[in-house]
């Protein structure tokens, strides 16, 4: 059903927009594998409640206030304060039909070229599982303030970066793949966009801003950027949540991670999911390595010495040749990098996960990873990357794609009989 772009604005900004209905299970089409009908919340989603609060744009003032509050909570390395930084799941917002939201996003984007076709690659068909896979999306979505004010994407027209359209491209990507878990970096529109919308799609979200986000240096910023983690409430129960300010050789740094222990409602199995964004730029390799060691130490503790299966998503800002990558690959947590499985020998990372042109020249790098406990979990499929031809000569971001980083999406299943140690 086509909705006018005007109506999208109200759908995106106002909780009680008249066009938003509570609907039965959406049946968004998935290319491969299994049908998605059961993935997003069905008619059993929490009932709409007559609530006088309205979702209003929480602009700079609120975001800064939040940032200040978050800083006061950042004192310890791993603060266990889900009550402060996990969005309340009891708001019972009126659900949105994802199919309708997707159509409305497409209406806003009608002057843009069609989104790129990407296919899932089946990686393991020999491990039947009695439960539906867990779909995880890793994505540095590009902070709006950084994209417009700091990143210097010299070949990207400024119109391609307009938030009102770019946010629809981001939502379209999320709605197209319907992850059960969404791990995002460079989120600077959590409170006014992603939290209200994704909660109405059935997700529970957590946001942890960087202590000194570079976004705050940009005029007309929308608050600090940070990591965000969302999971579908009809699939998982939150067991534990930790917001971690990473250290490097005992010094507190500007980089953060969120680590949550979730329990699958279908199988009652628990696992940990982590999201992080390590320090950027060349010259900071040892710093990233130290941040990685700190994160690994935290993950050792949270997984009780690798007893709980683990998935770590992140923009590590590090090529596979870097020390921090090697620490993760050789850790006693027994992790493997999921996107290696797309290569012919299963041993090579993709040639790029980010590709952009700055004043300094073309930057094509592999920096983003989904690590997983290789004995406890299997990757059933992974979303193929965009080809060079699709990305085009001006690289990313572009009118077709909203970020300079590609999303990574994997379907995981638990191994029925974990072989030995996790
Ligand atoms: N007010 C204060 O007292 C302090 C303020 N700050 C602020 O924080 C900033 C540093 O923060 P930090 O977290 O260490 O930042 P990072 O070096 O990690 O980079 C921040 C962002 O810049 C992007 N980036 C990477 N390379 C480039 C490039 N060549 N040109 C433009 N952007 C790039 C990164 O994107 P990606 O990951 O996608 O590559 C990343 O999101 C300072 O510049 C300052 O603005 C910091 C400390 C104190
Ligand atoms: Mg960036």
């Amino acid at each position: 059903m086509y909705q006018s772009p005007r109506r999208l604005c109200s759908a995106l900004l106002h909780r009680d927009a008249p066009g938003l209905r509570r609907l039965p299970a959406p049946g968004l089409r998935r290319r491969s594998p299994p049908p998605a009908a059961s993935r997003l919340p069905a008619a059993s989603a929490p009932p709409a409640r007559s609530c006088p609060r309205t979702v209003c744009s929480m602009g700079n003032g609120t975001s800064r206030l939040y940032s200040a509050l978050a800083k006061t909570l950042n004192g310890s390395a791993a603060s266990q304060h889900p009550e402060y930084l996990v969005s309340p799941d009891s708001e019972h917002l009126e659900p949105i039909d994802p199919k309708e939201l997707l159509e409305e996003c497409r209406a806003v984007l009608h002057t843009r070229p069609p989104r790129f076709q990407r296919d899932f690659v089946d990686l393991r068909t020999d491990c039947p599982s009695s439960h539906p896979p867990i779909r995880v999306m890793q994505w540095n979505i590009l902070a709006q303030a950084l994209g417009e004010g700091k990143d210097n994407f010299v070949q990207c027209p400024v119109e391609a970066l307009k938030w009102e359209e770019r946010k629809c491209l981001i939502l379209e990507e999320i709605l197209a793949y319907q992850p059960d878990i969404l791990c995002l970096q460079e989120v600077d529109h959590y409170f006014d966009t992603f939290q209200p919308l994704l909660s109405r799609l059935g997700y529970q979200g957590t946001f942890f801003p960087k202590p000194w986000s570079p976004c705050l240096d940009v005029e007309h910023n929308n608050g600090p950027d940070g990591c965000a983690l969302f999971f579908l409430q009809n699939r998982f129960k939150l067991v534990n949540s930790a917001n971690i300010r990473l250290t490097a050789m005992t010094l507190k740094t500007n980089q953060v991670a969120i680590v949550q222990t979730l329990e699958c409602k279908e199988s009652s199995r628990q696992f940990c999911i982590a999201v992080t964004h390590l320090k950027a730029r060349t010259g900071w390799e040892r710093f990233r390595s130290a941040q990685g060691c700190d994160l690994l130490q935290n993950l050792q503790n949270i997984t009780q010495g690798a007893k709980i299966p683990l998935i770590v998503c992140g923009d590590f800002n590090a090529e596979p040749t870097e020390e921090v990558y090697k620490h993760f690959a050789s850790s006693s947590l027994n992790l493997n990098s999921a996107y290696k499985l797309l290569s012919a020998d299963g041993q090579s990372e993709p040639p790029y996960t980010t590709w952009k042109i700055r004043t300094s020249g073309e930057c094509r790098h592999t920096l983003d990873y989904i690590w997983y406990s290789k004995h406890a979990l299997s990757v059933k499929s992974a979303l193929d990357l965009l080809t060079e031809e699709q990305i085009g000569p001006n690289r990313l971001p572009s009118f077709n794609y909203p970020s300079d980083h590609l999303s990574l999406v994997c379907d995981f299943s638990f191994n029925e009989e974990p072989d030995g140690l996790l």
Side-chain angles (χ1 to χ4, degrees), residues 6 36 82-83 102 120 127 167 188 217-218 224 245 255 266 272 295:
R6 182 180 294 279
E83 69 276 25
L102 184 58
F120 280 92
C127 59
K167 79 175 170 193
D188 64 345
D217 295 341
V218 177
R245 180 173 178 182
Q255 277 64 37
E266 302 100 352
C272 282
L295 179 57

Side-chain angles (χ1 to χ4, degrees), residues 186 210 212 217 254-255 277 279-281 315 317 405:
E186 293 199 24
K210 293 171 74 166
W212 294 104
D217 295 341
N254 200 25
Q255 277 64 37
H277 185 189
K279 170 75 186 153
R281 298 164 208 269
D315 172 358
N317 268 312
H405 290 253

Side-chain angles (χ1 to χ4, degrees), residues 14 32-33 73-74 93 116-117 122 127 155 185 195 219 239 242 289 333 341 345 350 371 375-376 386 397 405 411 418:
H14 303 292
S32 121
L73 299 170
N74 279 346
L93 302 173
F116 298 124
Q117 168 74 31
D122 281 334
C127 59
Q155 298 287 10
Q185 298 83 31
Q195 197 279 331
E219 209 182 345
V239 176
S289 171
L333 288 166
L341 302 177
D345 61 358
W371 297 94
H375 301 301
L386 292 175
H405 290 253
D411 283 342

Side-chain angles (χ1 to χ4, degrees), residues 151-169:
D151 263 297
N152 296 315
F153 299 128
V154 286
Q155 298 287 10
C156 176
V158 283
E159 307 85 69
L161 293 173
K162 281 194 307 191
W163 177 240
E164 286 309 312
E165 291 179 25
R166 203 171 75 82
K167 79 175 170 193
C168 288
L169 271 181

